[in-house]
């Protein structure tokens, strides 16, 4: 899942993700820690996804992708910075299989969501 935001601002971000009855709460602070430091994103709850951090050595820092380790039927995501809601969406992914990306029987789905500034 791509989280489109041309400029992630400094602050504390909160990610609330629900998927097939599982809930996870995450938070992270921008600016990110220096490269090589432990991940900025800290989560509690069921871990069935990863939030990508980018730009540890850059001024273009952010959280551009969410990768799921399973194929959920439904995904709800809410992103906020402090008390300001930036995104709230519920998705029902459609999975496809491609011999180029999945030589066996895996499937993938994509979604692009705009995160308000």
């Amino acid at each position: 899942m791509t989280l489109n935001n041309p400029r992630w601002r400094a602050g504390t971000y909160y990610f609330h993700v629900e998927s097939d009855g599982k809930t996870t709460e995450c938070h992270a602070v921008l600016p990110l820690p220096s490269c090589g430091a432990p991940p900025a994103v800290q989560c509690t709850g069921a871990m069935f996804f990863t939030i990508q951090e980018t730009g540890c050595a850059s001024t273009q820092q952010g959280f551009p992708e969410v990768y799921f380790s399973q194929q959920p039927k439904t995904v709800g995501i809410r992103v906020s910075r402090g008390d300001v809601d930036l995104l709230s969406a519920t998705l029902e992914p459609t999975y496809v299989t491609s011999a180029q990306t999945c030589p066996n029987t895996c499937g993938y789905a994509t979604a692009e969501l705009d995160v308000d500034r």
Side-chain angles (χ1 to χ4, degrees), residues 73-110:
K73 293 179 182 175
T74 61
V75 175
I77 184 167
R78 188 173 65 243
V79 180
S80 60
R81 184 182 61 249
D83 294 334
V84 178
D85 288 334
L86 304 174
L87 166 70
S88 183
T90 301
L91 307 169
E92 293 182 0
T94 300
Y95 296 93
V96 296
T97 301
S98 165
Q100 292 176 334
T101 57
C102 300
N104 296 318
T105 58
C106 71
Y108 68 94
T110 60

Side-chain angles (χ1 to χ4, degrees), residues 2-98:
T2 300
L3 302 178
N4 293 320
N5 187 338
R7 184 173 172 263
W8 293 84
R9 297 180 184 188
T12 301
Y13 286 83
Y14 299 93
F15 302 85
H16 175 89
V17 180
E18 294 182 22
S19 174
D20 297 341
K22 297 181 258 181
T23 302
T24 302
E25 301 284 343
C26 302
H27 69 278
V29 175
L30 287 181
L32 294 172
S34 61
C35 298
V41 177
Q42 301 295 312
C43 301
T44 58
M47 286 308 302
F48 49 91
F49 64 91
T50 302
I51 299 172
Q52 180 187 20
E53 303 171 14
T54 61
C56 64
S58 164
T59 58
Q60 298 289 322
Q61 298 183 343
F63 311 101
E65 298 279 343
V66 179
Y67 300 103
F68 289 85
S69 59
Q70 303 167 356
Q71 295 180 357
K73 293 179 182 175
T74 61
V75 175
I77 184 167
R78 188 173 65 243
V79 180
S80 60
R81 184 182 61 249
D83 294 334
V84 178
D85 288 334
L86 304 174
L87 166 70
S88 183
T90 301
L91 307 169
E92 293 182 0
T94 300
Y95 296 93
V96 296
T97 301
S98 165

